[in-house]
Amino acid sequence: MPLDTIQDDFESGLKPLWMRAQSGDDTAYAQALHRIAHRLRGYFRRRMHSQPDDVEDLVQETLLALHVQRGTYDPTLPVSAWVLAIARHKLVDLWRRRGRRDNLHDALDDVDEALLVAMPNDGSAQRDLDKLLHELPAAQRQAILLTKVEGLSVAEASQRTGASESAIKVQVHRGLKRLALLVKVGGAA
Amino acid sequence: MKTDALIEMLARGAGPAPRAVAARRLALAAGLGLLLSALLALTLIGPIPTTMYATPVPWMKFAYAGSLALAAGWLTARLARPIARLETPRRSVVAVIGAMVALGTLALIATPSSERMTALLGHSWLSCPWNVLAFSLPALAASLWAVRGMAPTRPHAAGFAAGLFAGTVGAMGYALSCPEQSAAFVAVWYTLGIGLTGALGALLGPRVLRW
């Protein structure tokens, strides 16, 4: 089964990176997310013929969801299955919001992944996350900009703002969680 | 923002993934829910006589609600994840309910046949399930909040499990005010109240468990 081989390749390449990421290796985490983004792009492209412009937005929305929900990954299960369960949820959610009920009758899982050929994409989304960042409450935005964009450590960000280190961590987590809600493609916003 | 930039942003200083997310959130929900449900039961109905605590009656109720809370909480924690193995927690829920039903049946068999109906219906069979449901509402809101903050992909099932979990919390609170003595009564009417809370959770699930 070529399908199984390809899925196993994805899983076996991803799992060690992911496990290192879960225990705090940020470099491995970035590598894992790049692999996942590539995979998601193919997954969504196959299922969104009629909305190709939304693919990259949904990739970003799913990556954000994966990040804020990384605590729900159970290490006894395949990472790829966890990733695709979230991707599938995001896709169905998009269709529901768009009222594309007919799409729900398409088989979601009967797609030959071997046919997925990644088309060139520079990773540009329609929706701009930078703009959405500015819709966050000030404390959350600042915590994210300092630690995630400027690259300060939590201790440095704490010194800069006068907030405690645990407060910074909480603001970053809450901010990303809120961002994950704000990014819903075609949402009410 | 391009996807590569987003990935760099997410990974930068990400640190280790949070641990035991479900356990922490559900424990908080149960704690809050239990506090409110006990408060409601004690103020609206009033406490059972303290002499009852010298009998096994309230402890049987706490033990049943407590062990079902563990089993239903386990199931809820699993259903709050995008994918999960459900067989074992599901079987534990059935096993706890089955054990209580067996205990109730034994109690009925041990009761003289002329008193069986009285034991089974007590004097509050009509209100008991509704009281359990009502005293479960704070725990239900808290449990649905707890699950909503995670990543449930089966909202009906996750809502049902969260409802069962909340129902056990409400049953614990109600047991502080419920004078019924028979195990058969608990096996039927408490279980029905917990089941009603589960049904309400299943109904609310698709509406509130969006993420």
Side-chain angles (χ1 to χ4, degrees), chain A residues 22 24 26 34 56 60 69-70 72 74 76-77 82 85 89-90 122-124 128-130 148-149 151 177 184, chain B residues 1-4 6-18 25 81-83 85 149-151 210-211:
Chain A
Q22 288 291 90
D26 294 346
H34 280 296
E56 203 59 27
Q60 295 194 357
Q69 294 299 343
R70 59 201 284 244
T72 68
D74 173 353
T76 63
L77 296 171
W82 178 77
H89 175 84
K90 285 294 174 190
D122 69 349
S124 297
D128 194 349
L129 281 177
D130 293 307
K148 294 288 199 177
V149 180
K177 226 168 174 177
K184 290 201 165 195
Chain B
M1 189 183 290
K2 295 192 175 177
T3 302
D4 285 350
L6 172 67
I7 289 173
E8 295 311 320
M9 183 185 111
L10 292 178
R12 186 171 297 141
R25 293 181 74 93
R81 297 167 182 265
I83 47 163
R85 295 197 180 91
M150 291 179 278
R210 297 252 181 107
W211 52 280

Side-chain angles (χ1 to χ4, degrees), chain A:
Chain A
M1 287 288 287
L3 182 64
D4 287 346
T5 325
I6 281 176
Q7 296 216 325
D8 284 351
D9 282 351
F10 177 61
E11 177 64 26
S12 59
L14 182 59
K15 181 96 180 198
L17 282 175
W18 186 259
M19 293 317 292
R20 271 158 53 202
Q22 288 291 90
S23 51
D25 181 339
D26 294 346
T27 314
Y29 190 34
Q31 287 171 348
L33 288 179
H34 280 296
R35 280 176 190 241
I36 289 170
H38 182 74
R39 173 60 168 236
L40 289 175
R41 215 165 274 139
Y43 178 87
F44 289 137
R45 199 173 279 141
R46 289 287 298 179
R47 290 160 178 81
M48 295 166 70
H49 296 294
S50 47
Q51 313 114 283
D53 295 342
D54 289 337
V55 166
E56 203 59 27
D57 294 71
L58 205 54
V59 169
Q60 295 194 357
E61 183 183 340
T62 307
L63 287 172
L64 259 169
L66 286 171
H67 176 74
V68 298
Q69 294 299 343
R70 59 201 284 244
T72 68
Y73 171 66
D74 173 353
T76 63
L77 296 171
V79 192
S80 50
W82 178 77
V83 166
L84 290 181
I86 292 179
R88 186 179 198 275
H89 175 84
K90 285 294 174 190
L91 183 61
V92 172
D93 188 49
L94 171 66
W95 281 338
R96 189 173 40 221
R97 273 181 283 132
R98 290 279 167 86
R100 299 283 308 266
R101 296 207 158 266
D102 47 351
N103 269 328
L104 294 176
H105 299 296
D106 290 350
L108 277 165
D109 297 310
D110 295 347
V111 175
D112 186 352
E113 302 283 339
L115 295 177
L116 297 181
V117 181
M119 282 189 276
N121 181 298
D122 69 349
S124 297
Q126 303 184 90
R127 172 215 334 100
D128 194 349
L129 281 177
D130 293 307
K131 281 187 192 142
L132 286 179
L133 263 176
H134 287 277
E135 291 178 25
L136 296 179
Q140 295 175 4
R141 185 179 63 235
Q142 191 188 28
I144 291 176
L145 287 178
L146 288 178
T147 60
K148 294 288 199 177
V149 180
E150 288 187 33
L152 297 188
S153 71
V154 173
E156 289 164 339
S158 161
Q159 277 177 357
R160 178 91 68 94
T161 58
S164 73
E165 290 189 25
S166 60
I168 296 279
K169 282 187 200 163
V170 168
Q171 296 296 4
V172 170
H173 184 69
R174 287 205 185 135
L176 290 176
K177 226 168 174 177
R178 179 176 290 219
L179 199 61
L181 290 176
L182 285 175
V183 297
K184 290 201 165 195
V185 183

